[in-house]
Amino acid sequence: MPDEIDRDQEFNEQRLEDMIEQNRFKSTATPSLPYCRLCGKSIPDKRRQTLPGVTTCIECQTVLERRQR
């Protein structure tokens, strides 16, 4: 029985990862912020155009992603 549960759990984890990856770079209806919501520094135009809906600068986003690991 544990084998079946393990397979189901692996399947669910893979589906979740797939869903996250599919939605990761979808454009959003919200505009990018001109300033980082965390530190207040200016977000470069190139970053705001490349990632619609971005709300953090590169440094703060890096910190957020490291915390999620």
Side-chain angles (χ1 to χ4, degrees):
M1 189 81 175
D3 291 333
E4 185 176 333
I5 293 171
D6 290 340
R7 282 192 299 263
D8 288 344
Q9 185 174 4
E10 284 181 31
F11 175 79
N12 289 337
E13 288 175 2
Q14 184 61 46
R15 284 283 296 141
L16 180 59
E17 288 176 17
D18 292 344
M19 290 169 56
I20 290 170
E21 191 62 32
Q22 287 173 359
N23 290 300
R24 188 173 189 166
F25 295 109
K26 274 190 177 177
S27 62
T28 63
T30 58
S32 296
L33 297 178
Y35 299 98
C36 178
R37 66 181 171 87
L38 299 176
C39 70
K41 291 181 183 175
S42 178
I43 299 174
D45 288 336
K46 188 170 184 175
R47 177 171 170 75
R48 293 189 297 126
Q49 291 169 359
T50 304
L51 299 170
V54 71
T55 61
T56 55
C57 66
I58 294 171
E59 293 83 11
C60 290
Q61 186 63 37
T62 301
V63 170
L64 289 173
E65 289 178 6
R66 284 186 181 152
R67 287 183 186 166
Q68 291 177 354
R69 290 183 189 172

